Amino acid sequence: MAGFDKVVTSYEQAMAGLEDNMTVIAGGFGLCGIPEGLIAEIKKKGTTGLTVVSNNCGVDGFGLGILLEDKQIKKMVSSYVGENALFEKQLLNGELEVELTPQGTLAEKMRAGGAGIPAFFTATGYGTLVGEGKEVREYNGRNYILEESITGDFAIVKAWKADRYGNCIYRHTAQNFNPMAATAGKVTVVEVEEIVEPGELNPSEIHTPGIYVDRIILGTFEKRIEKITTAD
């Protein structure tokens, strides 16, 4: 995209340039704040061999889970994978490579990648399978392991509002991984519920500045609920 106006009018334009064997960083937590239309476009394109970095892989038949149906995902970097039977099947059959990462570490991997920080030390995972083979240092009497940051060829993000310059606001818990993911892609595509004109958003309420964003597309969302829980 050239210039300040980041708006595209089709999902084909939004995901132009995505090729086989690329790394895609996806915002969202469970089914909350996921870029539904952008995921659907990846399925439509038939792109394969993807490494996908996301908190989880959706559920059977929805979210990132639809990319498992045609085995478009080669490797999944996630912190939680417990709601997807097809994911489990492909993992156990050796058809899907999985790198399980503690949730906070995964968030920091994205944030650090977006900030240009190649690696960081964290106490999380020390002494467990997560820490095997990783460099260990002691700080103030506590052991920490070295974790490398993450960047992707594409980052796909869901926001509530954005202006044409790409400044984004997320709504409530839909912030989750979206702000970190938005900074960590070489190409960042944001799917939004509403596009407004520059100047309409309060600068102090913007979560992701437009400098990080390459493309904006107006989407429609099913907003499926993963588990419905009601009071007796």
Side-chain angles (χ1 to χ4, degrees), residues 128-230:
T128 73
L129 291 174
V130 170
E132 285 191 359
K134 296 177 180 177
E135 181 181 341
V136 177
R137 289 192 188 182
E138 181 180 326
Y139 293 95
N140 299 318
R142 189 176 186 185
N143 289 314
Y144 294 76
I145 59 174
L146 183 67
E147 291 281 5
E148 295 185 359
S149 62
I150 291 176
T151 56
D153 299 291
F154 269 75
I156 56 173
V157 172
K158 159 66 169 36
W160 177 39
K161 289 184 180 181
D163 63 26
R164 292 182 172 274
Y165 292 174
N167 299 299
C168 298
I169 295 176
Y170 309 101
R171 189 170 185 268
H172 303 319
T173 55
Q175 285 193 57
N176 52 59
F177 280 80
N178 280 302
M180 289 79 76
T183 68
K186 293 178 183 176
V187 176
T188 294
V189 188
V190 182
E191 187 176 16
V192 300
E193 297 182 38
E194 183 180 351
I195 297 175
V196 301
E197 293 303 317
E200 291 188 38
L201 300 179
N202 185 336
S204 66
E205 295 177 356
I206 290 171
H207 298 120
T208 295
I211 190 68
Y212 290 108
V213 176
D214 297 282
R215 303 168 190 167
I216 293 280
I217 186 166
L218 182 66
T220 57
F221 303 90
E222 181 179 341
K223 295 187 179 180
R224 189 182 301 188
I225 297 173
E226 192 168 352
K227 289 185 179 181
I228 299 176
T229 303
T230 58

